[in-house]
Amino acid sequence: MTIPTPEIPREVVIVPGTDVDDAWERYQPFEPLHFQQDILNPMSDAELERVMEALAVRPGMRLLDIACGHGEMLLRFAQRYRIDAIGLDESPWVIVRAAQRTARRRLVGTVRWWLGSGTEAPRGPFDVVTCIGASWIWHGFAGTVAAVGDRVRPGGRVAVGDLRARDDVDGPPGILTRRDQIAVIEAAGLVPIGEFVSADASWTAYQQRILANAEAYALATPGDPLRDRRQMAAEWLDDHRRDRERLVWSVWVAERPR
Ligand SMILES: C[S@@+](CC[C@H](N)C(=O)[O-])C[C@H]1O[C@@H](n2cnc3c(N)ncnc32)[C@H](O)[C@@H]1O
């Protein structure tokens, strides 16, 4: 059983090899948790703006955002600059929404939406490559830094968003510290520009958005277990609450030297 799926707009590029039916089904559980959100991460508007500023985007640049979600960052760039961007995500739910949102924004730049796995992302090189909040695609921070770093030109910038251990506590085993992350970035041949740490309040606000989304989605069609993900949202929030005691969410921006 599935929730009825919207049509994929013709302008969406489906990356060869993508099993679209499987993707609709696999990403369906996340739809009720995210459907009304712009930013699908524990970042406030202002925090996203700071990351965008650090990426130093200028007119004429080519951008790639891997796991772009609803495409908010690329849409903001395209509202301001004549850029040429690709937003890629494996969830048809979010890619269709990104395409729908594009039609409602006044853009001076171009954004194309690609449906497919991050591992199939085009190689570029691009001026700016980002992956914010999907480091599992490359099995962690190091793989993600390498993947975006491989796709950026000398002088170009990357952004990677992930969890890391808090500075003031021992992180769980296997979780990188800030110092580990800097070492990873440098080992990939990139120069760290800055780390943008989300405030605790931003994380709380994200959790509240998830709960509110799950509630609104469930109430729209009472009694439908596929649409009622309030239990899943509550479990997620418990995980997040536990994580917050030991982890922070941050976005690193780095540059490939010329
Ligand atoms: C936490 S959200 C972040 C979205 C966006 N970067 C943002 O900050 O708003 C993670 C995104 O990764 C996408 N995703 C998960 N696995 C993926 C994969 N293997 N390839 C591409 N996208 C993937 C999900 O569909 C989701 O949109």
Side-chain angles (χ1 to χ4, degrees):
M1 229 172 54
T2 53
I3 302 173
T5 55
E7 201 165 317
I8 299 179
R10 283 170 46 163
E11 66 271 22
V12 169
V13 174
I14 299 178
V15 175
T18 306
D19 183 341
V20 178
D21 288 340
D22 175 69
W24 279 120
E25 197 165 332
R26 239 169 355 106
Y27 286 95
Q28 178 176 268
F30 304 104
E31 169 69 357
L33 274 47
H34 280 149
F35 77 112
Q36 288 175 331
Q37 301 196 46
D38 295 340
I39 304 170
L40 310 184
N41 265 312
M43 277 191 292
S44 67
D45 259 349
E47 286 159 352
L48 175 62
E49 287 293 329
R50 283 198 281 280
V51 170
M52 290 173 62
E53 203 180 319
L55 286 168
V57 169
R58 294 187 301 283
M61 283 190 165
R62 293 183 65 221
L63 278 61
L64 171 66
D65 187 19
I66 305 175
C68 62
H70 291 156
E72 181 60 22
M73 183 173 68
L74 291 184
L75 289 172
R76 289 188 190 189
F77 277 132
Q79 280 178 308
R80 296 167 200 180
Y81 307 108
R82 213 171 279 279
I83 48 145
D84 185 9
I86 295 174
L88 177 144
D89 200 287
E90 198 175 38
S91 162
W93 301 95
V94 302
I95 281 293
V96 167
R97 187 155 300 113
Q100 290 166 346
R101 299 171 90 235
T102 308
R104 297 196 292 270
R105 309 282 273 263
R106 277 172 179 266
L107 306 186
V108 292
T110 306
V111 189
R112 284 164 293 154
W113 304 109
W114 287 29
L115 175 62
S117 168
T119 55
E120 303 303 315
R123 303 209 68 84
F126 294 86
D127 299 294
V128 169
V129 183
T130 49
C131 180
I132 298 179
S135 61
W136 54 84
I137 299 173
W138 292 280
H139 312 292
F141 186 76
T144 309
V145 168
V148 295
D150 284 351
R151 289 170 167 83
V152 75
R153 66 158 169 85
R157 291 194 177 183
V158 302
V160 173
D162 203 356
L163 296 165
R164 69 159 170 82
R166 290 186 89 97
D167 295 325
D168 50 350
V169 295
D170 288 337
I175 299 289
L176 301 187
T177 62
R178 182 173 195 274
R179 192 184 299 199
D180 295 333
Q181 287 185 323
I182 293 173
V184 163
I185 292 168
E186 289 174 347
L190 303 167
V191 177
I193 299 289
E195 186 194 25
F196 300 86
V197 179
S198 282
D200 273 357
S202 309
W203 207 332
T204 304
Y206 176 54
Q207 294 177 337
Q208 283 166 350
R209 292 200 300 272
I210 289 174
L211 276 185
N213 273 237
E215 191 73 20
Y217 209 91
L219 293 181
T221 36
D224 179 346
L226 278 182
R227 294 180 190 244
D228 190 346
R229 299 288 179 177
R230 285 177 290 187
Q231 176 71 25
M232 180 176 165
E235 284 163 10
W236 250 28
L237 297 201
D238 280 345
D239 289 349
H240 279 205
R241 251 178 236 123
R242 266 194 306 274
D243 284 350
R244 282 173 61 180
E245 290 166 17
R246 296 192 293 175
L247 304 177
V248 294
W249 160 262
S250 76
V251 180
W252 274 101
V253 174
E255 183 170 294
R256 177 164 293 297
R258 286 173 201 278

